[in-house]
């Protein structure tokens, strides 16, 4: 069986160790994995052990990249799967292992993502319930989760009223061009025409 002849700390990445088998470079592992597996000079490794070390290291490497991916903002399971595909992890079984680990650590939660997304939209870019639901669905959020968090989206009449105040200032009678423009804007946010007309009419009359 191949024998470990050298273990050399990496120069570019001191957290990695270059492992040599029979005086030839074989692969690199993290320092933690070397310690965990009790690897040392003179130790013989079977082919199955070598393959297992490589697979485990690849998994840990990808996992670290996923943690960095998740550090910027919450993500959905679908987004993580898409990212894994870019990392050339295309086997669903391997994806599931990493995703389950992220879930168990609390780093990946579609319900928490949906709540965060709705709160962010409500604060910065208000949308209709229909529009928000479509956005969440496109991000891979299930219908059950969307239904469960839909109560946090807020009342659409109040949302439209807030957008009118933000865009137009104090209530006043709208001239035709101004009314057409604001109604078009609200429609593009996904609000129904009858709801827009009702709120705009009430807003004008105040």
């Amino acid at each position: 069986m191949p024998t470990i002849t050298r273990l050399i700390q990496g120069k570019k990445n001191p957290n990695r160790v270059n492992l040599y088998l029979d005086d030839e470079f074989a692969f690199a592992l993290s320092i933690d994995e070397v310690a965990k597996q009790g690897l040392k000079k003179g130790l013989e490794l079977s082919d199955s052990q070598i393959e297992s070390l490589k697979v485990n290291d690849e998994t840990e490497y990808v996992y670290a990249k996923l943690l960095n991916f998740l550090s910027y903002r919450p993500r959905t399971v679908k987004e993580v799967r898409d990212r894994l595909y870019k990392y050339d992890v295309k086997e669903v079984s391997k994806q599931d292992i990493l995703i389950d680990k992220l879930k168990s650590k609390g780093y990946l939660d579609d319900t928490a993502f949906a709540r965060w997304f709705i709160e962010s939209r409500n604060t910065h870019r208000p949308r209709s319930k229909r529009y928000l639901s479509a956005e969440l669905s496109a991000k891979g959020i299930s219908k059950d989760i969307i239904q469960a968090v839909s109560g946090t989206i807020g009342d659409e009449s109040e949302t439209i009223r807030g957008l009118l105040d933000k865009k137009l200032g104090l209530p006043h009678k709208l001239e035709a061009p101004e009314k057409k423009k604001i109604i078009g804007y609200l429609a593009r946010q996904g609000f129904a025409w009858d709801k827009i007309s009702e709120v705009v009419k009430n807003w004008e009359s105040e």
Side-chain angles (χ1 to χ4, degrees):
M1 290 190 295
T3 302
I4 298 176
T5 51
R6 282 191 290 171
L7 292 166
I8 301 177
Q9 188 174 24
K11 292 182 179 180
K12 292 184 178 180
N13 186 349
N15 291 318
R16 304 282 289 176
V17 174
N18 296 320
L19 188 146
Y20 288 75
L21 296 174
D22 297 334
D23 292 323
E24 292 187 4
F25 173 75
F27 50 88
L29 296 172
S30 68
I31 286 180
D32 290 341
E33 190 66 16
V34 169
K36 179 181 177 182
Q37 298 297 332
L39 301 179
K40 58 184 179 181
K41 184 178 179 179
L43 183 67
E44 293 184 340
L45 298 176
S46 67
D47 290 342
S48 62
Q49 286 176 310
I50 292 171
E51 183 62 26
S52 178
L53 287 169
K54 290 180 178 179
V55 170
N56 288 341
D57 184 67
E58 180 184 357
T59 299
E60 289 303 314
Y61 176 70
V62 173
Y63 182 73
K65 292 178 71 174
L66 287 176
L67 290 179
N68 183 63
F69 177 61
L70 291 165
S71 68
Y72 297 100
R73 65 166 177 81
R75 307 282 182 176
T76 66
V77 171
K78 179 181 182 300
E79 287 177 313
V80 170
R81 286 197 188 278
D82 291 343
R83 181 58 54 144
L84 284 170
Y85 196 85
K86 289 184 178 180
Y87 293 160
D88 207 30
V89 180
K90 299 176 181 179
E91 292 182 30
V92 175
S93 59
K94 291 183 178 180
Q95 292 180 4
D96 287 343
I97 290 172
L98 289 160
I99 287 172
D100 288 344
K101 185 175 181 179
L102 290 170
K103 286 181 176 180
S104 69
K105 299 290 185 180
Y107 297 133
L108 190 60
D109 184 331
D110 275 1
T111 299
F113 173 90
R115 292 196 180 102
W116 167 83
F117 187 84
I118 289 171
E119 181 180 356
S120 178
R121 279 287 190 261
N122 285 343
T123 301
H124 304 292
R125 299 173 64 187
R127 298 285 191 272
S128 69
K129 182 176 180 179
R130 178 172 62 85
Y131 199 113
L132 278 171
S133 295
E135 285 187 303
L136 288 171
S137 181
K139 291 182 177 295
I141 303 300
S142 69
K143 291 182 179 180
D144 288 343
I145 292 178
I146 294 174
Q147 180 63 33
V149 301
S150 62
T152 64
I153 293 177
D155 181 78
E156 290 200 341
S157 294
E158 293 180 4
T159 301
I160 294 172
R161 171 58 196 259
L163 288 170
L164 288 171
D165 291 340
K166 181 179 180 180
K167 293 288 184 179
L168 303 176
L170 295 174
H172 59 274
K173 183 66 177 178
L174 298 174
E175 298 296 331
E178 187 178 27
K179 179 178 288 189
K180 180 180 179 180
K181 184 177 180 180
I182 192 63
I183 287 177
Y185 166 76
L186 292 170
R188 289 193 296 275
Q189 310 317 307
F191 298 105
W193 285 98
D194 56 345
K195 179 64 69 173
I196 293 172
S197 298
E198 176 189 344
V199 177
V200 169
K201 182 179 180 180
N202 291 337
W203 184 84
E204 285 184 293
S205 64
E206 291 181 10

